[in-house]
Amino acid sequence: MIKEILEIPRILREFIKSPFVFDATALRKIKLAKRILIVGCGTSYHAGLLGAIFFEELSGKPVRVVSASEASHQNLNYDLVVVVSQSGETKDVLEFLRKIKPKKIFTIGISNSKNSLLSRLADFNIYQNVGLEKSIPATKTFISQVAILLQLALMGNKKNASLHESFKKLPNLMEKILERQEKIRAVAEKYKSFDKFFILGAGFNFPVALEGALKFKEAAGILAEGMLAGELKHGPITLVDKSSASLLIMPKDLRYWENLSLLLEIKKNGGPVVAITTEGNKDLDKIIKDVIYIPKTEELLYPFLATLVLQFLAYSSGVLRGYNVDKPRNLSKAVRI
Ligand code: M6R
């Protein structure tokens, strides 16, 4: 898992140098699509949630994301379906593709396996090409899926020159985060005995909260709940006390002040808090002890940086708790049942 996390900046750099090339049919389908559906499971589902945010933000097109375990049971009517699966072998994903085949909807598959069953079923395939991911908790394949979905959403969106420029800088920013491993490990050490964890994110960082929580469950055996930050006060806050930890993803973006007020609320209730925020933000050090800084970037790109922190934090927690992070029990790399 750690090897694969450390590969991420290089993988992203290579992707930026040679992004995926689309054929004319796929390009036309993406540009003309009015109703888009993204389908995946687990981490790939979370990548899909981010993909939907990118599409809606950049092209204004509404996008729905459905877990593959549900998608086969729904009567879905879309003109473009994007299926995300690093293995390309997940049973629910394949079942869904077989089910919609007769509907002749154009399908794009995103997978890290060139000759997967998924690649035989989808109309157009995007090969992630990030090298085999051996560890069961997906890390590098998630970042690559999210980068590909961003590329899809950016297609034909020239007005986003500044986003393109900021995207190119991400690998360097990620390297900066990985230089701070000691700080993140120290947070993991301090919180390693907590079994209750809330991971909270608003807006673009909600899927990151879900993905971070999944990494905590798999790699560290911690029952972490990923949640919309705004939902905490509608019930779960009753569980907040000194025995539950909360991690707030709160870069200096449009949602920052809401997140800060939530942080104060959690503190008032005696809950220990870790915050991930933007470098240069001096507010938090005065309020809490555990702040992890990420470099400044565009709002839409913070999910890449916050995810990397959470992956490393979950990995460190798992190692410190004595878990086999690469092979969590009861799991396999491709869920075929
Ligand atoms: O191969 P897939 O992307 O289709 O796999 C889907 C999920 O089973 C997978 O993402 C799972 O949640 C991972 N172990 C997450 O780390």
Side-chain angles (χ1 to χ4, degrees):
M1 184 175 176
I2 187 62
K3 176 182 172 286
E4 288 158 1
I5 292 174
L6 295 177
E7 281 172 22
I8 290 173
R10 176 186 55 77
I11 285 170
L12 205 56
R13 197 168 279 125
E14 281 166 12
F15 176 78
I16 290 163
K17 234 196 275 163
S18 20
F20 193 82
V21 182
F22 286 86
D23 73 5
T25 316
L27 256 181
R28 195 166 40 83
K29 295 280 183 189
I30 295 164
K31 285 188 181 160
L32 295 179
K34 289 204 168 61
R35 285 159 299 134
I36 304 172
L37 174 70
I38 306 182
V39 171
C41 295
T43 288
S44 299
Y45 169 70
H46 298 153
L49 292 175
L50 273 170
I53 290 176
F54 294 152
F55 266 100
E56 297 194 343
E57 284 292 314
L58 298 170
S59 64
K61 288 182 188 178
V63 180
R64 182 148 174 236
V65 190
V66 179
S67 161
S69 62
E70 284 300 309
S72 306
H73 306 285
Q74 297 185 6
N75 188 15
L76 301 165
N77 192 15
Y78 290 85
D79 49 21
L80 174 69
V81 171
V82 181
V83 176
V84 189
S85 169
Q86 69 78 27
S87 65
E89 304 289 340
T90 296
K91 181 178 164 259
D92 289 335
V93 166
L94 301 175
E95 248 176 43
F96 165 70
L97 276 170
R98 289 188 189 107
K99 172 123 193 254
I100 60 159
K101 201 87 197 148
K103 292 192 177 178
K104 307 248 176 284
I105 302 169
F106 191 76
T107 50
I108 296 181
I110 301 177
S111 167
N112 194 35
S113 166
K114 219 172 192 168
N115 299 309
S116 62
L117 288 169
L118 162 64
S119 69
R120 281 178 239 159
L121 287 165
D123 295 313
F124 182 77
N125 284 288
I126 301 178
Y127 174 42
Q128 296 183 239
N129 200 13
V130 298
L132 184 66
E133 186 175 64
K134 283 194 182 162
S135 165
I136 287 178
T139 52
K140 63 176 179 178
T141 54
F142 173 75
I143 296 286
S144 134
Q145 289 165 345
V146 176
I148 290 169
L149 287 162
L150 178 64
Q151 189 197 349
L152 278 182
L154 276 167
M155 215 96 74
N157 242 305
K158 291 205 180 66
K159 52 183 190 289
N160 279 297
S162 97
L163 186 66
H164 276 285
E165 281 315 302
S166 304
F167 185 59
K168 284 193 207 154
K169 293 183 186 144
L170 275 186
N172 288 349
L173 304 187
M174 287 178 147
E175 272 160 0
K176 276 196 181 172
I177 292 175
L178 292 173
E179 281 164 16
R180 296 171 196 158
Q181 287 180 28
E182 273 320 306
K183 168 73 197 174
I184 304 175
R185 205 174 287 123
V187 172
E189 175 71 49
K190 185 167 166 189
Y191 287 85
K192 68 178 184 205
S193 56
F194 281 82
D195 282 319
K196 248 193 288 166
F197 237 102
F198 292 111
I199 304 195
L200 305 157
F204 306 152
N205 290 303
F206 171 50
V208 179
L210 296 180
E211 177 54 13
L214 179 56
K215 292 293 92 104
F216 267 76
K217 288 176 193 129
E218 287 184 299
I222 294 174
L223 183 53
E225 180 153 355
M227 210 187 292
L228 259 178
E231 282 297 314
L232 188 80
K233 53 183 181 278
H234 297 286
I237 197 154
T238 190
L239 299 171
V240 168
D241 59 19
K242 63 177 183 345
S243 71
S244 69
S246 300
L247 185 147
L248 263 155
I249 308 164
M250 47 186 301
K252 268 273 176 139
D253 60 10
L254 282 174
R255 313 299 301 273
Y256 177 75
W257 298 107
E258 277 170 62
N259 285 326
L260 183 59
S261 111
L262 185 64
L263 185 154
L264 295 172
E265 192 63 28
I266 297 170
K267 244 199 120 215
K268 201 178 85 192
N269 289 291
V273 185
V274 180
I276 299 178
T277 194
T278 312
E279 261 167 23
N281 173 13
K282 305 247 188 293
D283 309 339
L284 300 185
D285 268 345
K286 295 174 211 133
I287 315 172
I288 52 168
K289 292 206 176 77
D290 303 308
V291 185
I292 300 172
Y293 291 98
I294 52 178
K296 191 170 169 23
T297 184
E298 298 216 15
E299 299 208 355
L300 210 50
L301 301 179
Y302 278 122
F304 285 91
L305 303 182
T307 298
L308 189 64
V309 171
L310 285 165
Q311 290 175 344
F312 189 73
L313 192 60
Y315 161 79
S316 306
S317 306
V319 171
L320 290 165
R321 285 163 64 91
Y323 273 75
N324 183 346
V325 294
D326 293 323
K327 288 192 177 62
R329 67 177 182 198
N330 309 339
L331 285 172
S332 55
K333 192 65 190 162
V335 180
R336 295 194 171 85
I337 49 165

